[in-house]
Amino acid sequence: MSIMCDSTGDVLKRLRTHFGHQEFRQGQAQIVAAVLGGRDVLAVMPTGSGKSLGYQLPAVMLPGTTLVVSPLISLMKDQVDELNRRGIHSRALHSMLSVDSRHEVLSAARAGGLRLLYVAPERFASDQFLRLLGELEVARFVVDEAHCVSEWGHDFRPDYRRLCAAAALCRPSDRASGRPPIAAFTATATPEVRDDVIALLGLSEPQVLVAGFDRPNIYLRVERVDDEDDKNDLLPGLVRGRRALVYAATRKTVERAATFLQASGVPAAAYHAGLKDEERTRVQDAFTVGSLRVVCATNAFGMGIDRPDVDAVIHYAIPGSVEAYYQEIGRAGRDGRPAAATLLWDYEDVFTRQFLIDSPRRDKPWHSTAGLDPAEVARRKELEHRKLRRVIEYADTSACLRATILQYFGDTTARERCDSCGNCRPGAIDAYERELVRKILSGIARAGERYGRHRIVAMLMGETRELPPALTRLSTTGLLRHETSDVLHEWIEAAISAALVVVSNDQYRTLSLTEPGREVMLGRMHDLQIRRPSRGPMVSALRGYRTYHPHASRAESARRKHASRVDR
Ligand code: ADP
């Protein structure tokens, strides 16, 4: 039952002594308390956020062995090695062990000396192992990657379906009646998967904890557009100078976006499953080592990407679900630096998504599941449509974008307004744009506040041929050569409108900084109020609102537009 004698302070002390971590991460303390408390628990936290501690720390505090079902042998091995290194006696049982080693693990488990016993799910098909379960004193029955029990999850494992019955065979170490408490852990937080986990693992009135899904350094925004031309007006400004991923729905649009960017002077490559293996490897490697900064891709790209410094993720079309969206934008800003996620929202893209759901394709799980009856196929398609409707709601909402996503995932720590998304702060500039403004202001300052905008732009672009010698050697000379001069002119205009820069009212029209402009340049003014230029990096919020119609009529007009295109 519950560990009443352990106060929060004791738990923290145990965290420090056993695991060497000074503090809990967000959500961990609540999960540890819930698991110690003795109720069934479903804990949902993103991958890498430290879920395992949620059962490892209770395991060292509770009498008996904590049984951990885990589907990946390599991960299991790493965890067991790490635990033993920390002096927490643990073993793993899986098919890669020799018969002798397996016997050895079983006897160690029977002797009761193990704090944690990791088990691969296929072990539960073995009668010998099921008999052993009845002999163990089990503190907690932990199911890691619990979404594997659900067919809605991306990684269904039939063996997980045995776990509910297997847990019932275990004896709880606290000598209470019934089975030991089950603690299920997953990073997949969608409502369907959560419901499946609770039902199929047989969790009894579980405490459900969802935490850690917020990525506060990612600025979220939705830009409403009418067609591909609108998207292309915005795209170069969203990726230029950044390390960026552009996700499109089909191979053709991936190719078109990449070609358009190249034509706009932004080196970008396409990545999708239709390319030759060598080409895909080349693009992936170039992005990984940093020689290629912008990739346009289908969702095939990203799994193996290990670059923590992606500045921007742009969705060139609406994704199929909120979970896909969040996973894809989650590739931005993993180093904790500010990053931006922009969804270019054209209702017409919904038809492509609907087509992808309804057309038979090999890569969908239900097309590879032989013998599935048509009613089941229809049910699964309906689920995909439901997910699509939820992401349309996200795109259409005027509420806080961050809160909308977090509430979808059931993260109860979500605030109503985040003050750092396109809906809480319409027209706000992102981190890259803020830096751009600072660099322009620095350029004006370094040039001695004695030159007009054409020379300042030429200096920042590194176009030194016609410049006075003093401007050719500044630390800001060529600093923004990856931008276009149009973009820089527009930002200078915006800086003038925001009263960061003034123009002399003599014939020279020289630029100089105002006091607020100097503060911004020095990074001392955090609440920078500047309107993003109406062309260039982004359309203005106003234009966004003008093209926005209430959901139904938007859908209708897009449908008509789509129909007329198909007729042609
Ligand atoms: P996952 O959520 O994917 O299961 P892990 O449990 O493997 O993630 O944890 C990811 C990493 O975070 C590990 O290296 C772990 O040691 C570290 N970690 C977990 N909790 C803390 C903490 N409270 N303080 C510092 N590091 C932690």
Side-chain angles (χ1 to χ4, degrees), residues 15 19-25 28 45-56 75 79 82 86 144-145:
L15 173 76
F19 294 90
H21 304 318
Q22 284 314 298
E23 300 298 334
F24 282 113
R25 286 189 182 157
Q28 278 181 329
M45 279 174 92
T47 304
S49 58
K51 281 192 300 300
S52 346
L53 194 88
Y55 58 84
Q56 289 173 345
L75 224 72
Q79 299 239 0
E82 181 65 20
R86 295 185 185 282
D144 203 4
E145 312 291 347

Side-chain angles (χ1 to χ4, degrees), residues 66-228:
T66 290
L67 205 68
V68 185
V69 183
S70 172
L72 290 173
I73 296 178
S74 56
L75 224 72
M76 206 178 326
K77 277 191 185 146
D78 289 350
Q79 299 239 0
V80 167
D81 288 348
E82 181 65 20
L83 286 164
N84 286 318
R85 209 177 53 75
R86 295 185 185 282
I88 303 165
H89 192 194
S90 309
R91 298 301 299 267
L93 200 58
H94 51 75
S95 55
M96 304 297 279
L97 293 183
S98 66
V99 176
D100 284 352
S101 310
R102 228 178 286 169
H103 281 306
E104 192 209 320
V105 174
L106 288 175
S107 6
R110 269 196 206 95
L114 295 182
R115 295 259 62 112
L116 292 107
L117 173 61
Y118 281 75
V119 186
E122 70 273 7
R123 287 296 94 207
F124 293 87
S126 144
D127 287 339
Q128 189 198 7
F129 180 69
L130 292 180
R131 274 196 301 280
L132 166 83
L133 285 183
E135 297 170 34
L136 298 181
E137 300 216 323
V138 177
R140 296 292 180 265
F141 191 98
V142 172
V143 184
D144 203 4
E145 312 291 347
H147 58 272
C148 293
V149 77
S150 168
E151 282 177 276
W152 304 137
H154 44 83
D155 202 10
F156 173 55
R157 306 261 175 150
D159 284 321
Y160 266 61
R161 292 285 167 92
R162 303 177 197 272
L163 299 182
C164 177
L169 299 175
C170 296
R171 271 192 303 133
S173 55
D174 61 4
R175 304 194 192 287
S177 59
R179 62 157 171 74
I182 298 179
F185 290 78
T186 177
T188 308
T190 63
E192 292 85 10
V193 172
R194 244 181 293 162
D195 291 349
D196 258 7
V197 169
I198 292 172
L200 297 167
L201 291 179
L203 303 188
S204 151
E205 295 179 17
Q207 203 167 339
V208 180
L209 297 148
V210 184
F213 278 85
D214 193 9
R215 297 285 309 278
N217 62 320
I218 303 180
Y219 177 80
L220 303 168
R221 67 184 158 204
V222 175
E223 292 293 333
R224 298 179 172 101
V225 294
D226 272 344
D227 52 30
E228 202 162 302

